[in-house]
Amino acid sequence: MSRITTAQLGSDGPAVGVQGLGCMGMSWAYGPTDTDEARATLDRALDLGITLYDTADAYGAGENERFLSSFVKVHRDEIVLATKFALATDPADPTRRIINNDPDYIRSSIDGSLQRLGVDTIDLYYMHRRALDIPIEETVGVMSELVRAGKVKHLGLSEVTGSELRAAHAVHPIAAVQSEWSLFSRDIEQGVVPAAADLGVALVAYSPLGRGFLTGSFVSADKELSADDFRRQQPRFTGDNAAANASLLEPVRSVAAAHDATLGQVALAWVHQQSRIHGLPVVPIPGTRKRTRVEENAAATRIVLTDDELARLNRIADQVTGERYTDMRFTSAGRE
């Protein structure tokens, strides 16, 4: 299989494979992991031209960064390393999220990430979530200090609104904004995507496979997934919502059959084609722990959907029931 093509993150940002790799599930959130297979998956992804590796200090309280460190050490000059600050889980209540944008916290967070990853510089450093009591200009101002100190090369934001992105970009160039974008989640097209296109900011799409739901790998999170699986906390994957949403996959199956592709490949192809439709670089970061899946995902970059197929798939999002999270205040959709 040949290597995938590339895209640029921001006007002055790095070139990366047009598809990245979300590493969270390799050590956290989605139940038990075969660490040897996950490590082999990192190597296989790089073979395929996938060069953007995405993690965060919140994933397993730093465990995911530590997991990646051995891979990063071997391939540091070949990859673009992205991590994040600002989000933590309350140890007493795993369903409760703690968001912190305090300046001193940011400065300590970058040092912690650098140490766990075993590097001197982070290529792309994201604000994972916004604390609503602190102006975003102040947060980005502190982040820009990290660039000047040589600890960070480029800045990113996650789950910000279009107006927040514009305000942040006026303080310091933003290379990428990361938001959920998939056949099931299209709210960012109202404000975030147009702002990113105007500013020359890349859109890094997380959960482009609807956390696996769009692949048909499960229907009901509360019945099929392990007790420690994060998806059991997400309303659209449980109870009556899950059953209703599973019925929406029929157009995906039909399009997949026409292309001799999997459901997941069609879902990813749809995200990739949003780059042409909206006029900005779009780099989805599907997560997987298996080499076969990363090969399947990379192959989706070569699928071209017809206008008729896109129109059929576009109808799905308006029919989805259930929110992405139980608390939407800390998503761009909750503030637009």
Side-chain angles (χ1 to χ4, degrees), residues 137 207 215:
E137 295 89 343
S207 297
T215 70

Side-chain angles (χ1 to χ4, degrees), residues 2 9 20 23 46 60 128 161-162 164 175 193 207 231 239 254 275 313 322:
S2 59
L9 300 183
C23 300
L46 187 57
H128 206 162
T161 67
E164 290 166 351
V193 171
S207 297
R231 291 168 288 187
S254 175
S275 176
L313 296 171

Side-chain angles (χ1 to χ4, degrees), residues 24 38 45 52 110 128 151 160 170 204-205 226 228 250 254 266 281 314 318 334:
M24 178 182 78
L52 177 61
I110 185 62
H128 206 162
K151 296 181 179 182
V160 294
V204 174
S226 61
D228 59 348
E250 192 52 42
S254 175
V266 169
N314 285 345
D318 289 339

